Amino acid sequence: MQTLTPHVYWAQRHGEIYLRVELSDAQVAQSMHSQGHGAKGENEYEFSLDFLKPVKAEVTHRSTQRQVNITVKKRERGWWDRLAAQERKPLFLAPDFDRWLDESDAEMELREKEEKLNKILFESRIPKDPYLGLKKGYLFMYNLVQFLGFSWIFVNMTVRLFILGQDSFYDTFHTIADVMYFCQILAVIEVVNPALRLVRTGVLPPLIQVFGRNFLLFIILGAQEDMQNKPVVFFIFYLWSTIEIFRYPFYMLACIDTEWKLLTWLRYSLWIPLYPLGVIAEAVAVIQSIPIFDETKVLSLPLPRALGTSLSFSYILQLYLAVMFLGLFINFRHLYKMRKRRFRAKKKKAN
Ligand SMILES: CCCCCCCCCCCCC/C=C/C(=O)SCCNC(=O)CCNC(=O)[C@H](O)C(C)(C)COP(=O)(O)OP(=O)(O)OC[C@H]1O[C@@H](n2cnc3c(N)ncnc32)[C@H](O)[C@@H]1OP(=O)(O)O
């Protein structure tokens, strides 16, 4: 049997060299002298390489049906300009394009590996929360109830709109208010959840949202019957429920560590037109209520005689109008950040 030289393919990382020898069914001798099926059939194959820089003595090799994979560790970490000490590349040697990386890609690969390792180490150090299942179960139930409530509102209003047309605008409050009261009282929980660290978000955005909606629902609409049959109520309730029928199922899926891409996109995109529209509709309701509060004196503050009879609630409403747009700005910025964080995280996963 004659001794031949096999084709050898190589690639490197900062700490090691990979050699792939194209030999099928090879039996490798300790000295890297092997017998197997190469390009010229069953033979003995041998190659020797004078490496550019020193390497460690231990060499690992693994034979598969089609090739022999050899890993050699560099004595010092670093990037080599070439593999062999001699400037002219040996004829049997070629780059292994399946594993080939240039220096910056190899660094990136290394960094990713380190990041993964750090993450695993970090996660293994965090003690597992014994109440995690209970918390997720509670959040799931909360979101389910809200989803059902807002779905009922949305479907009811849509059906009434189809059947009654514009007439349905005028009695929205009387048909929907009870369920809306229920959902919005329950929504106070959304301020409590981040305060108790049950969800990973701040307290201020849900506080602004719950306060803003409940102020409108219970005070402007609830305390003034004349406001209740205005068409603006229809638009406010419809805008609120449109966003919520996507937001709550998104949270429900998050509770069971599931994601539905379309739903995620809707949850983090629909607010862009809906939030400003919602605040505009609410501002219209506040403006419409000002003369009514002036006239009825409901919620007006009694004043000492010297200052006049009472301070109309409409002054508070005028102040509130300005605060509303500040609230819109804070929440719009918050939602923009959340959207960016969500889609950046997804992009990273995809890469
Ligand atoms: C001091 C008081 C000041 C008062 C001032 C008042 C001014 C009022 C003016 C404003 C009036 C606004 C009134 C409202 C109008 C409308 O609603 S118009 C209709 C359109 N509306 C919207 O589009 C807004 C809908 N609401 C929201 O989007 C949110 O409620 C929020 C208020 C913006 C808060 O969002 P946030 O929870 O912070 O972000 P998310 O990305 O959704 O969640 C962050 C992480 O938390 C997890 N999570 C949150 N809630 C839950 C939950 N219930 N269940 C399970 N998990 C939850 C979520 O999954 C995220 O986790 P990660 O994925 O791990 O990040």
Side-chain angles (χ1 to χ4, degrees):
M1 227 186 289
Q2 52 176 331
T3 303
L4 301 171
T5 308
H7 292 298
V8 179
Y9 298 89
W10 79 283
Q12 64 170 320
R13 298 293 182 270
H14 287 85
E16 53 222 3
I17 290 158
Y18 304 123
L19 300 173
R20 179 164 60 82
V21 188
E22 283 218 327
L23 286 177
S24 57
D25 305 322
Q27 285 156 15
V28 183
Q30 208 53 38
S31 59
M32 283 298 128
H33 174 100
S34 63
Q35 187 174 341
H37 253 97
K40 295 196 173 146
E42 170 92 20
N43 272 304
E44 282 207 354
Y45 289 86
E46 195 180 71
F47 70 93
S48 69
L49 258 172
D50 221 355
F51 288 124
L52 181 69
K53 290 182 184 169
V55 295
K56 290 186 183 164
E58 75 264 28
V59 172
T60 54
H61 58 84
R62 204 167 59 87
S63 301
T64 69
Q65 264 185 339
R66 288 187 305 123
Q67 62 202 37
V68 182
N69 294 317
I70 303 166
T71 306
V72 184
K73 289 215 169 352
K74 292 177 181 173
R75 188 165 311 151
E76 273 176 25
R77 292 179 64 79
W79 202 252
W80 293 5
D81 295 337
R82 58 177 191 274
L83 183 65
Q86 71 209 68
E87 268 191 38
R88 269 191 65 167
K89 180 175 74 68
L91 283 175
F92 64 86
L93 196 62
D96 184 350
F97 288 115
D98 288 345
R99 304 194 84 166
W100 194 261
L101 287 183
D102 62 29
E103 188 174 359
S104 59
D105 287 342
E107 262 164 20
M108 197 126 76
E109 186 191 68
L110 196 69
R111 228 174 295 138
E112 272 167 17
K113 269 188 195 160
E114 277 169 6
E115 268 171 21
K116 258 189 208 158
L117 202 70
N118 285 342
K119 201 173 157 218
I120 292 169
L121 272 173
F122 180 72
E123 278 169 3
S124 66
R125 271 192 224 130
I126 299 174
K128 285 260 175 294
D129 182 354
Y131 301 111
L132 193 66
L134 202 64
K135 286 178 187 169
K136 285 195 171 178
Y138 147 75
L139 284 173
F140 185 89
M141 286 312 294
Y142 166 73
N143 293 314
L144 177 65
V145 172
Q146 289 286 32
F147 172 60
L148 292 176
F150 278 105
S151 299
W152 183 88
I153 294 172
F154 183 82
V155 172
N156 199 310
M157 289 180 73
T158 309
V159 171
R160 285 171 53 80
L161 181 65
F162 273 104
I163 297 173
L164 303 172
Q166 287 190 9
D167 287 348
S168 75
F169 290 177
Y170 300 94
D171 60 355
T172 305
F173 193 86
H174 299 107
T175 15
I176 305 293
D178 287 341
V179 183
M180 192 58 100
Y181 279 151
F182 172 79
C183 290
Q184 279 306 131
I185 290 173
L186 201 62
V188 173
I189 285 182
E190 261 163 73
V191 183
V192 178
N193 286 343
L196 296 179
R197 304 225 163 270
L198 294 174
V199 296
R200 279 197 319 149
T201 190
V203 174
L204 186 63
L207 181 67
I208 290 176
Q209 162 143 322
V210 172
F211 179 90
R213 281 189 185 179
N214 286 355
F215 182 80
L216 188 111
L217 183 64
F218 291 99
I219 297 179
I220 296 178
L221 303 180
Q224 283 296 357
E225 256 185 60
D226 287 353
M227 281 301 297
Q228 294 173 3
N229 53 7
K230 298 232 181 274
V232 73
V233 180
F234 175 91
F235 293 100
I236 293 172
F237 284 9
Y238 213 55
L239 286 164
W240 289 1
S241 56
T242 307
I243 194 80
E244 304 306 32
I245 56 171
F246 297 106
R247 188 164 70 99
Y248 288 114
F250 164 79
Y251 291 150
M252 280 159 66
L253 290 189
C255 291
I256 51 170
D257 298 320
T258 309
E259 190 181 349
W260 184 25
K261 276 185 189 151
L262 178 65
L263 192 60
T264 306
W265 186 85
L266 288 168
R267 188 274 169 270
Y268 285 104
S269 306
L270 273 181
W271 59 270
I272 300 171
L274 295 190
Y275 215 114
L277 282 177
V279 173
I280 289 171
E282 288 177 33
V284 169
V286 174
I287 292 166
Q288 286 181 340
S289 74
I290 288 176
I292 302 176
F293 275 100
D294 268 340
E295 200 183 299
T296 57
K297 302 263 182 276
V298 172
L299 295 175
S300 56
L301 289 177
L303 290 176
R305 238 165 229 247
L307 294 173
T309 50
S310 63
L311 180 73
S312 171
F313 189 64
S314 64
Y315 291 112
I316 310 261
L317 291 178
Q318 285 167 38
L319 188 72
Y320 180 70
L321 266 180
V323 178
M324 259 179 104
F325 287 94
L326 181 69
L328 167 70
F329 172 74
I330 295 174
N331 270 8
F332 210 84
R333 210 177 59 152
H334 171 76
L335 277 165
Y336 176 72
K337 272 192 203 157
M338 292 312 229
R339 182 178 203 270
K340 239 171 65 176
R341 188 181 89 178
R342 168 70 49 173
F343 291 130
R344 202 187 314 123
K346 274 179 75 176
K347 243 188 213 168
K348 253 190 183 174
K349 263 188 212 168
N351 285 338

